[in-house]
Amino acid sequence: MKTVGDSKLKEAFIDAHDLRTALSPPLLAALRLVSVEAGEHLVTQSDRLSHLYLLVQGKLQVENYDANGMHIVFSFETDFSVIGDLELFSQAQRSVFSSVQAVTDALIFTLPIEVIRERAMRDPAFLTFMCRQLSDKLLNASLLHASGGLTAEYKLRKFLLFKIKDEGVQIQLENRELLAGRLGISVRQLSRALAQLAADGMIQFKNKSLRVTDRQRLSGLEDNQRA
């Protein structure tokens, strides 16, 4: 993450997203424009929230896991989008709920949480702005859930990458019905996804034993749209 020192670009993004109506002069002064490279993590799940992030250009991937990997949520954020809004109003010590990674090079405004606490938590304009962002996020999440959103292969890839962290490249798969249920797909879709990853040379598997043979390709950030 690098600071972008172009004041004209900063002002252009402020105007483009009408931030003067939502942020008071002290908050606008505290905004810092930063650049994030594709593949770079903005925040990691369970980190302490230090800033509110306002995506003004680019695309981010958001992913959340239970500690045991039982619940997996994926979404994408494009400009304009706020990261950290859920945590800001949480009572759970404001630890980050999800890991956020840049899919493309991105430009983001950062706003320190301490400044928000001191200057904005009783500001009607700021609170109205945050309510709108949360409302949009809830609607998008509902639509994503209803439409299925991501392919079976993509969900399987992300699950395997999560398992690699604990088990290494040699992974023992559970009952396929249970695994398909975790991923929100059918057993048939799971079988097709496993077969496709094997055909593409990313994995080798037999029964419940699976070995990741090409982790780099498996972890590709592109949104896999294979049917």
Side-chain angles (χ1 to χ4, degrees), residues 136-167:
D136 289 344
K137 191 165 292 185
L138 177 60
L139 175 60
N140 291 335
S142 298
L143 292 174
L144 179 65
H145 178 74
S147 66
L150 299 172
T151 65
E153 183 181 325
Y154 187 87
K155 291 180 179 181
L156 177 59
R157 284 189 187 205
K158 300 304 292 186
F159 175 79
L160 293 177
L161 289 168
F162 178 80
K163 295 291 285 185
I164 285 174
K165 296 177 182 178
D166 292 328
E167 300 182 22

PDB file of all heavy atoms in Angstrom, residues 136-167:
ATOM      1  N   ASP A 136     -26.957  -0.903   0.837  1.00  0.00           N
ATOM      2  CA  ASP A 136     -26.536  -1.405  -0.474  1.00  0.00           C
ATOM      3  C   ASP A 136     -25.827  -2.751  -0.342  1.00  0.00           C
ATOM      4  O   ASP A 136     -26.039  -3.668  -1.151  1.00  0.00           O
ATOM      5  CB  ASP A 136     -25.612  -0.396  -1.157  1.00  0.00           C
ATOM      6  CG  ASP A 136     -26.345   0.851  -1.616  1.00  0.00           C
ATOM      7  OD1 ASP A 136     -27.585   0.815  -1.684  1.00  0.00           O
ATOM      8  OD2 ASP A 136     -25.664   1.865  -1.891  1.00  0.00           O
ATOM      9  N   LYS A 137     -24.994  -2.872   0.697  1.00  0.00           N
ATOM     10  CA  LYS A 137     -24.247  -4.118   0.892  1.00  0.00           C
ATOM     11  C   LYS A 137     -25.192  -5.274   1.220  1.00  0.00           C
ATOM     12  O   LYS A 137     -25.017  -6.404   0.728  1.00  0.00           O
ATOM     13  CB  LYS A 137     -23.222  -3.920   2.010  1.00  0.00           C
ATOM     14  CG  LYS A 137     -22.219  -5.042   2.144  1.00  0.00           C
ATOM     15  CD  LYS A 137     -21.032  -4.619   3.003  1.00  0.00           C
ATOM     16  CE  LYS A 137     -20.186  -3.565   2.323  1.00  0.00           C
ATOM     17  NZ  LYS A 137     -18.961  -3.247   3.100  1.00  0.00           N
ATOM     18  N   LEU A 138     -26.205  -4.998   2.041  1.00  0.00           N
ATOM     19  CA  LEU A 138     -27.176  -6.033   2.378  1.00  0.00           C
ATOM     20  C   LEU A 138     -27.956  -6.476   1.145  1.00  0.00           C
ATOM     21  O   LEU A 138     -28.178  -7.677   0.930  1.00  0.00           O
ATOM     22  CB  LEU A 138     -28.138  -5.507   3.446  1.00  0.00           C
ATOM     23  CG  LEU A 138     -29.278  -6.454   3.864  1.00  0.00           C
ATOM     24  CD1 LEU A 138     -28.713  -7.751   4.435  1.00  0.00           C
ATOM     25  CD2 LEU A 138     -30.180  -5.768   4.886  1.00  0.00           C
ATOM     26  N   LEU A 139     -28.354  -5.524   0.322  1.00  0.00           N
ATOM     27  CA  LEU A 139     -29.084  -5.857  -0.906  1.00  0.00           C
ATOM     28  C   LEU A 139     -28.221  -6.693  -1.841  1.00  0.00           C
ATOM     29  O   LEU A 139     -28.668  -7.717  -2.380  1.00  0.00           O
ATOM     30  CB  LEU A 139     -29.527  -4.578  -1.609  1.00  0.00           C
ATOM     31  CG  LEU A 139     -30.206  -4.758  -2.973  1.00  0.00           C
ATOM     32  CD1 LEU A 139     -31.461  -5.596  -2.838  1.00  0.00           C
ATOM     33  CD2 LEU A 139     -30.534  -3.404  -3.594  1.00  0.00           C
ATOM     34  N   ASN A 140     -26.973  -6.277  -2.042  1.00  0.00           N
ATOM     35  CA  ASN A 140     -26.079  -7.021  -2.934  1.00  0.00           C
ATOM     36  C   ASN A 140     -25.817  -8.430  -2.426  1.00  0.00           C
ATOM     37  O   ASN A 140     -25.745  -9.390  -3.204  1.00  0.00           O
ATOM     38  CB  ASN A 140     -24.762  -6.265  -3.103  1.00  0.00           C
ATOM     39  CG  ASN A 140     -24.922  -4.986  -3.897  1.00  0.00           C
ATOM     40  OD1 ASN A 140     -25.847  -4.856  -4.688  1.00  0.00           O
ATOM     41  ND2 ASN A 140     -24.047  -4.027  -3.680  1.00  0.00           N
ATOM     42  N   ALA A 141     -25.661  -8.559  -1.089  1.00  0.00           N
ATOM     43  CA  ALA A 141     -25.428  -9.880  -0.504  1.00  0.00           C
ATOM     44  C   ALA A 141     -26.641 -10.781  -0.720  1.00  0.00           C
ATOM     45  O   ALA A 141     -26.500 -11.970  -1.006  1.00  0.00           O
ATOM     46  CB  ALA A 141     -25.123  -9.748   0.982  1.00  0.00           C
ATOM     47  N   SER A 142     -27.833 -10.215  -0.600  1.00  0.00           N
ATOM     48  CA  SER A 142     -29.056 -10.991  -0.809  1.00  0.00           C
ATOM     49  C   SER A 142     -29.169 -11.452  -2.256  1.00  0.00           C
ATOM     50  O   SER A 142     -29.530 -12.594  -2.528  1.00  0.00           O
ATOM     51  CB  SER A 142     -30.281 -10.147  -0.440  1.00  0.00           C
ATOM     52  OG  SER A 142     -30.248  -9.789   0.930  1.00  0.00           O
ATOM     53  N   LEU A 143     -28.853 -10.562  -3.194  1.00  0.00           N
ATOM     54  CA  LEU A 143     -28.912 -10.917  -4.607  1.00  0.00           C
ATOM     55  C   LEU A 143     -27.877 -11.974  -4.953  1.00  0.00           C
ATOM     56  O   LEU A 143     -28.138 -12.897  -5.727  1.00  0.00           O
ATOM     57  CB  LEU A 143     -28.694  -9.666  -5.468  1.00  0.00           C
ATOM     58  CG  LEU A 143     -29.813  -8.619  -5.404  1.00  0.00           C
ATOM     59  CD1 LEU A 143     -29.400  -7.366  -6.174  1.00  0.00           C
ATOM     60  CD2 LEU A 143     -31.117  -9.177  -5.952  1.00  0.00           C
ATOM     61  N   LEU A 144     -26.678 -11.839  -4.374  1.00  0.00           N
ATOM     62  CA  LEU A 144     -25.620 -12.820  -4.627  1.00  0.00           C
ATOM     63  C   LEU A 144     -26.023 -14.195  -4.127  1.00  0.00           C
ATOM     64  O   LEU A 144     -25.837 -15.203  -4.795  1.00  0.00           O
ATOM     65  CB  LEU A 144     -24.315 -12.378  -3.956  1.00  0.00           C
ATOM     66  CG  LEU A 144     -23.114 -13.307  -4.108  1.00  0.00           C
ATOM     67  CD1 LEU A 144     -22.697 -13.394  -5.574  1.00  0.00           C
ATOM     68  CD2 LEU A 144     -21.952 -12.829  -3.252  1.00  0.00           C
ATOM     69  N   HIS A 145     -26.618 -14.217  -2.928  1.00  0.00           N
ATOM     70  CA  HIS A 145     -27.050 -15.493  -2.361  1.00  0.00           C
ATOM     71  C   HIS A 145     -28.150 -16.113  -3.210  1.00  0.00           C
ATOM     72  O   HIS A 145     -28.171 -17.330  -3.453  1.00  0.00           O
ATOM     73  CB  HIS A 145     -27.550 -15.276  -0.935  1.00  0.00           C
ATOM     74  CG  HIS A 145     -28.058 -16.525  -0.278  1.00  0.00           C
ATOM     75  ND1 HIS A 145     -27.221 -17.515   0.175  1.00  0.00           N
ATOM     76  CD2 HIS A 145     -29.320 -16.945  -0.011  1.00  0.00           C
ATOM     77  CE1 HIS A 145     -27.936 -18.498   0.693  1.00  0.00           C
ATOM     78  NE2 HIS A 145     -29.216 -18.178   0.594  1.00  0.00           N
ATOM     79  N   ALA A 146     -29.054 -15.281  -3.677  1.00  0.00           N
ATOM     80  CA  ALA A 146     -30.183 -15.789  -4.453  1.00  0.00           C
ATOM     81  C   ALA A 146     -29.749 -16.327  -5.802  1.00  0.00           C
ATOM     82  O   ALA A 146     -30.300 -17.304  -6.305  1.00  0.00           O
ATOM     83  CB  ALA A 146     -31.217 -14.688  -4.644  1.00  0.00           C
ATOM     84  N   SER A 147     -28.743 -15.714  -6.398  1.00  0.00           N
ATOM     85  CA  SER A 147     -28.336 -16.100  -7.748  1.00  0.00           C
ATOM     86  C   SER A 147     -27.243 -17.160  -7.777  1.00  0.00           C
ATOM     87  O   SER A 147     -26.878 -17.670  -8.835  1.00  0.00           O
ATOM     88  CB  SER A 147     -27.830 -14.863  -8.506  1.00  0.00           C
ATOM     89  OG  SER A 147     -26.644 -14.379  -7.907  1.00  0.00           O
ATOM     90  N   GLY A 148     -26.714 -17.491  -6.632  1.00  0.00           N
ATOM     91  CA  GLY A 148     -25.616 -18.453  -6.601  1.00  0.00           C
ATOM     92  C   GLY A 148     -24.276 -17.773  -6.758  1.00  0.00           C
ATOM     93  O   GLY A 148     -23.274 -18.210  -6.221  1.00  0.00           O
ATOM     94  N   GLY A 149     -24.228 -16.671  -7.528  1.00  0.00           N
ATOM     95  CA  GLY A 149     -23.078 -15.777  -7.593  1.00  0.00           C
ATOM     96  C   GLY A 149     -21.828 -16.366  -8.209  1.00  0.00           C
ATOM     97  O   GLY A 149     -21.451 -15.990  -9.301  1.00  0.00           O
ATOM     98  N   LEU A 150     -21.211 -17.308  -7.523  1.00  0.00           N
ATOM     99  CA  LEU A 150     -19.920 -17.834  -7.945  1.00  0.00           C
ATOM    100  C   LEU A 150     -20.054 -19.292  -8.383  1.00  0.00           C
ATOM    101  O   LEU A 150     -20.908 -20.026  -7.900  1.00  0.00           O
ATOM    102  CB  LEU A 150     -18.912 -17.714  -6.804  1.00  0.00           C
ATOM    103  CG  LEU A 150     -18.649 -16.287  -6.332  1.00  0.00           C
ATOM    104  CD1 LEU A 150     -17.789 -16.305  -5.086  1.00  0.00           C
ATOM    105  CD2 LEU A 150     -17.984 -15.462  -7.414  1.00  0.00           C
ATOM    106  N   THR A 151     -19.183 -19.711  -9.280  1.00  0.00           N
ATOM    107  CA  THR A 151     -19.256 -21.067  -9.810  1.00  0.00           C
ATOM    108  C   THR A 151     -18.807 -22.099  -8.783  1.00  0.00           C
ATOM    109  O   THR A 151     -18.085 -21.796  -7.827  1.00  0.00           O
ATOM    110  CB  THR A 151     -18.378 -21.204 -11.059  1.00  0.00           C
ATOM    111  OG1 THR A 151     -17.006 -21.031 -10.674  1.00  0.00           O
ATOM    112  CG2 THR A 151     -18.752 -20.177 -12.117  1.00  0.00           C
ATOM    113  N   ALA A 152     -19.227 -23.335  -9.000  1.00  0.00           N
ATOM    114  CA  ALA A 152     -18.824 -24.433  -8.124  1.00  0.00           C
ATOM    115  C   ALA A 152     -17.309 -24.588  -8.121  1.00  0.00           C
ATOM    116  O   ALA A 152     -16.694 -24.819  -7.075  1.00  0.00           O
ATOM    117  CB  ALA A 152     -19.499 -25.723  -8.578  1.00  0.00           C
ATOM    118  N   GLU A 153     -16.695 -24.460  -9.300  1.00  0.00           N
ATOM    119  CA  GLU A 153     -15.240 -24.611  -9.372  1.00  0.00           C
ATOM    120  C   GLU A 153     -14.529 -23.545  -8.562  1.00  0.00           C
ATOM    121  O   GLU A 153     -13.551 -23.816  -7.870  1.00  0.00           O
ATOM    122  CB  GLU A 153     -14.781 -24.553 -10.830  1.00  0.00           C
ATOM    123  CG  GLU A 153     -13.280 -24.774 -10.977  1.00  0.00           C
ATOM    124  CD  GLU A 153     -12.819 -24.705 -12.413  1.00  0.00           C
ATOM    125  OE1 GLU A 153     -13.566 -25.138 -13.318  1.00  0.00           O
ATOM    126  OE2 GLU A 153     -11.696 -24.201 -12.635  1.00  0.00           O
ATOM    127  N   TYR A 154     -15.020 -22.309  -8.644  1.00  0.00           N
ATOM    128  CA  TYR A 154     -14.381 -21.226  -7.895  1.00  0.00           C
ATOM    129  C   TYR A 154     -14.495 -21.475  -6.387  1.00  0.00           C
ATOM    130  O   TYR A 154     -13.527 -21.318  -5.636  1.00  0.00           O
ATOM    131  CB  TYR A 154     -15.031 -19.893  -8.257  1.00  0.00           C
ATOM    132  CG  TYR A 154     -14.325 -18.700  -7.660  1.00  0.00           C
ATOM    133  CD1 TYR A 154     -13.255 -18.106  -8.324  1.00  0.00           C
ATOM    134  CD2 TYR A 154     -14.698 -18.187  -6.424  1.00  0.00           C
ATOM    135  CE1 TYR A 154     -12.584 -17.033  -7.780  1.00  0.00           C
ATOM    136  CE2 TYR A 154     -14.031 -17.117  -5.868  1.00  0.00           C
ATOM    137  CZ  TYR A 154     -12.984 -16.541  -6.548  1.00  0.00           C
ATOM    138  OH  TYR A 154     -12.315 -15.487  -5.990  1.00  0.00           O
ATOM    139  N   LYS A 155     -15.685 -21.874  -5.931  1.00  0.00           N
ATOM    140  CA  LYS A 155     -15.874 -22.149  -4.508  1.00  0.00           C
ATOM    141  C   LYS A 155     -14.962 -23.281  -4.046  1.00  0.00           C
ATOM    142  O   LYS A 155     -14.386 -23.222  -2.951  1.00  0.00           O
ATOM    143  CB  LYS A 155     -17.337 -22.496  -4.233  1.00  0.00           C
ATOM    144  CG  LYS A 155     -18.290 -21.331  -4.403  1.00  0.00           C
ATOM    145  CD  LYS A 155     -19.727 -21.759  -4.116  1.00  0.00           C
ATOM    146  CE  LYS A 155     -20.688 -20.592  -4.257  1.00  0.00           C
ATOM    147  NZ  LYS A 155     -22.084 -20.993  -3.957  1.00  0.00           N
ATOM    148  N   LEU A 156     -14.823 -24.308  -4.883  1.00  0.00           N
ATOM    149  CA  LEU A 156     -13.958 -25.433  -4.524  1.00  0.00           C
ATOM    150  C   LEU A 156     -12.507 -24.987  -4.451  1.00  0.00           C
ATOM    151  O   LEU A 156     -11.772 -25.386  -3.539  1.00  0.00           O
ATOM    152  CB  LEU A 156     -14.121 -26.556  -5.551  1.00  0.00           C
ATOM    153  CG  LEU A 156     -13.225 -27.782  -5.336  1.00  0.00           C
ATOM    154  CD1 LEU A 156     -13.479 -28.416  -3.970  1.00  0.00           C
ATOM    155  CD2 LEU A 156     -13.450 -28.796  -6.464  1.00  0.00           C
ATOM    156  N   ARG A 157     -12.080 -24.174  -5.400  1.00  0.00           N
ATOM    157  CA  ARG A 157     -10.704 -23.660  -5.367  1.00  0.00           C
ATOM    158  C   ARG A 157     -10.419 -22.956  -4.038  1.00  0.00           C
ATOM    159  O   ARG A 157      -9.398 -23.196  -3.391  1.00  0.00           O
ATOM    160  CB  ARG A 157     -10.487 -22.660  -6.498  1.00  0.00           C
ATOM    161  CG  ARG A 157     -10.313 -23.236  -7.881  1.00  0.00           C
ATOM    162  CD  ARG A 157      -9.898 -22.123  -8.807  1.00  0.00           C
ATOM    163  NE  ARG A 157      -9.849 -22.500 -10.194  1.00  0.00           N
ATOM    164  CZ  ARG A 157      -9.089 -21.878 -11.092  1.00  0.00           C
ATOM    165  NH1 ARG A 157      -8.340 -20.860 -10.728  1.00  0.00           N
ATOM    166  NH2 ARG A 157      -9.086 -22.265 -12.355  1.00  0.00           N
ATOM    167  N   LYS A 158     -11.326 -22.058  -3.647  1.00  0.00           N
ATOM    168  CA  LYS A 158     -11.102 -21.285  -2.432  1.00  0.00           C
ATOM    169  C   LYS A 158     -11.118 -22.177  -1.196  1.00  0.00           C
ATOM    170  O   LYS A 158     -10.345 -21.960  -0.254  1.00  0.00           O
ATOM    171  CB  LYS A 158     -12.158 -20.188  -2.309  1.00  0.00           C
ATOM    172  CG  LYS A 158     -12.161 -19.190  -3.462  1.00  0.00           C
ATOM    173  CD  LYS A 158     -10.808 -18.531  -3.662  1.00  0.00           C
ATOM    174  CE  LYS A 158     -10.436 -17.620  -2.517  1.00  0.00           C
ATOM    175  NZ  LYS A 158      -9.179 -16.868  -2.782  1.00  0.00           N
ATOM    176  N   PHE A 159     -11.974 -23.177  -1.182  1.00  0.00           N
ATOM    177  CA  PHE A 159     -12.001 -24.117  -0.065  1.00  0.00           C
ATOM    178  C   PHE A 159     -10.676 -24.869   0.045  1.00  0.00           C
ATOM    179  O   PHE A 159     -10.119 -25.028   1.136  1.00  0.00           O
ATOM    180  CB  PHE A 159     -13.154 -25.099  -0.237  1.00  0.00           C
ATOM    181  CG  PHE A 159     -13.191 -26.175   0.813  1.00  0.00           C
ATOM    182  CD1 PHE A 159     -13.694 -25.914   2.066  1.00  0.00           C
ATOM    183  CD2 PHE A 159     -12.716 -27.455   0.538  1.00  0.00           C
ATOM    184  CE1 PHE A 159     -13.722 -26.900   3.045  1.00  0.00           C
ATOM    185  CE2 PHE A 159     -12.738 -28.443   1.499  1.00  0.00           C
ATOM    186  CZ  PHE A 159     -13.242 -28.167   2.759  1.00  0.00           C
ATOM    187  N   LEU A 160     -10.161 -25.340  -1.093  1.00  0.00           N
ATOM    188  CA  LEU A 160      -8.897 -26.083  -1.079  1.00  0.00           C
ATOM    189  C   LEU A 160      -7.743 -25.202  -0.615  1.00  0.00           C
ATOM    190  O   LEU A 160      -6.864 -25.646   0.131  1.00  0.00           O
ATOM    191  CB  LEU A 160      -8.614 -26.653  -2.465  1.00  0.00           C
ATOM    192  CG  LEU A 160      -9.588 -27.751  -2.944  1.00  0.00           C
ATOM    193  CD1 LEU A 160      -9.240 -28.175  -4.367  1.00  0.00           C
ATOM    194  CD2 LEU A 160      -9.578 -28.945  -2.003  1.00  0.00           C
ATOM    195  N   LEU A 161      -7.739 -23.953  -1.029  1.00  0.00           N
ATOM    196  CA  LEU A 161      -6.687 -23.035  -0.585  1.00  0.00           C
ATOM    197  C   LEU A 161      -6.749 -22.822   0.923  1.00  0.00           C
ATOM    198  O   LEU A 161      -5.723 -22.708   1.592  1.00  0.00           O
ATOM    199  CB  LEU A 161      -6.814 -21.700  -1.320  1.00  0.00           C
ATOM    200  CG  LEU A 161      -6.440 -21.746  -2.800  1.00  0.00           C
ATOM    201  CD1 LEU A 161      -6.872 -20.464  -3.500  1.00  0.00           C
ATOM    202  CD2 LEU A 161      -4.935 -21.959  -2.977  1.00  0.00           C
ATOM    203  N   PHE A 162      -7.971 -22.779   1.469  1.00  0.00           N
ATOM    204  CA  PHE A 162      -8.133 -22.660   2.911  1.00  0.00           C
ATOM    205  C   PHE A 162      -7.596 -23.907   3.617  1.00  0.00           C
ATOM    206  O   PHE A 162      -6.899 -23.818   4.627  1.00  0.00           O
ATOM    207  CB  PHE A 162      -9.612 -22.447   3.243  1.00  0.00           C
ATOM    208  CG  PHE A 162      -9.896 -22.369   4.712  1.00  0.00           C
ATOM    209  CD1 PHE A 162      -9.673 -21.202   5.424  1.00  0.00           C
ATOM    210  CD2 PHE A 162     -10.406 -23.471   5.396  1.00  0.00           C
ATOM    211  CE1 PHE A 162      -9.943 -21.132   6.782  1.00  0.00           C
ATOM    212  CE2 PHE A 162     -10.675 -23.408   6.750  1.00  0.00           C
ATOM    213  CZ  PHE A 162     -10.442 -22.235   7.446  1.00  0.00           C
ATOM    214  N   LYS A 163      -7.904 -25.082   3.070  1.00  0.00           N
ATOM    215  CA  LYS A 163      -7.460 -26.333   3.693  1.00  0.00           C
ATOM    216  C   LYS A 163      -5.943 -26.488   3.638  1.00  0.00           C
ATOM    217  O   LYS A 163      -5.345 -27.067   4.544  1.00  0.00           O
ATOM    218  CB  LYS A 163      -8.134 -27.517   3.002  1.00  0.00           C
ATOM    219  CG  LYS A 163      -9.641 -27.570   3.160  1.00  0.00           C
ATOM    220  CD  LYS A 163     -10.050 -27.893   4.580  1.00  0.00           C
ATOM    221  CE  LYS A 163      -9.853 -29.344   4.913  1.00  0.00           C
ATOM    222  NZ  LYS A 163     -10.363 -29.689   6.272  1.00  0.00           N
ATOM    223  N   ILE A 164      -5.317 -25.974   2.574  1.00  0.00           N
ATOM    224  CA  ILE A 164      -3.862 -26.072   2.433  1.00  0.00           C
ATOM    225  C   ILE A 164      -3.158 -25.439   3.624  1.00  0.00           C
ATOM    226  O   ILE A 164      -2.098 -25.905   4.065  1.00  0.00           O
ATOM    227  CB  ILE A 164      -3.405 -25.414   1.109  1.00  0.00           C
ATOM    228  CG1 ILE A 164      -3.743 -26.326  -0.075  1.00  0.00           C
ATOM    229  CG2 ILE A 164      -1.904 -25.129   1.121  1.00  0.00           C
ATOM    230  CD1 ILE A 164      -3.470 -25.701  -1.423  1.00  0.00           C
ATOM    231  N   LYS A 165      -3.739 -24.361   4.169  1.00  0.00           N
ATOM    232  CA  LYS A 165      -3.108 -23.659   5.285  1.00  0.00           C
ATOM    233  C   LYS A 165      -2.915 -24.577   6.482  1.00  0.00           C
ATOM    234  O   LYS A 165      -1.948 -24.438   7.229  1.00  0.00           O
ATOM    235  CB  LYS A 165      -3.965 -22.454   5.690  1.00  0.00           C
ATOM    236  CG  LYS A 165      -4.077 -21.383   4.611  1.00  0.00           C
ATOM    237  CD  LYS A 165      -4.999 -20.256   5.058  1.00  0.00           C
ATOM    238  CE  LYS A 165      -5.161 -19.218   3.961  1.00  0.00           C
ATOM    239  NZ  LYS A 165      -6.100 -18.129   4.357  1.00  0.00           N
ATOM    240  N   ASP A 166      -3.844 -25.519   6.693  1.00  0.00           N
ATOM    241  CA  ASP A 166      -3.777 -26.422   7.840  1.00  0.00           C
ATOM    242  C   ASP A 166      -3.177 -27.782   7.507  1.00  0.00           C
ATOM    243  O   ASP A 166      -2.464 -28.375   8.313  1.00  0.00           O
ATOM    244  CB  ASP A 166      -5.178 -26.635   8.428  1.00  0.00           C
ATOM    245  CG  ASP A 166      -5.743 -25.381   9.068  1.00  0.00           C
ATOM    246  OD1 ASP A 166      -4.954 -24.579   9.594  1.00  0.00           O
ATOM    247  OD2 ASP A 166      -6.967 -25.211   9.028  1.00  0.00           O
ATOM    248  N   GLU A 167      -3.458 -28.286   6.306  1.00  0.00           N
ATOM    249  CA  GLU A 167      -3.099 -29.667   5.978  1.00  0.00           C
ATOM    250  C   GLU A 167      -1.967 -29.801   4.977  1.00  0.00           C
ATOM    251  O   GLU A 167      -1.471 -30.906   4.754  1.00  0.00           O
ATOM    252  CB  GLU A 167      -4.332 -30.410   5.443  1.00  0.00           C
ATOM    253  CG  GLU A 167      -5.490 -30.458   6.425  1.00  0.00           C
ATOM    254  CD  GLU A 167      -6.672 -31.247   5.893  1.00  0.00           C
ATOM    255  OE1 GLU A 167      -6.468 -32.086   4.983  1.00  0.00           O
ATOM    256  OE2 GLU A 167      -7.795 -31.028   6.380  1.00  0.00           O
TER     257      GLU A 167
END
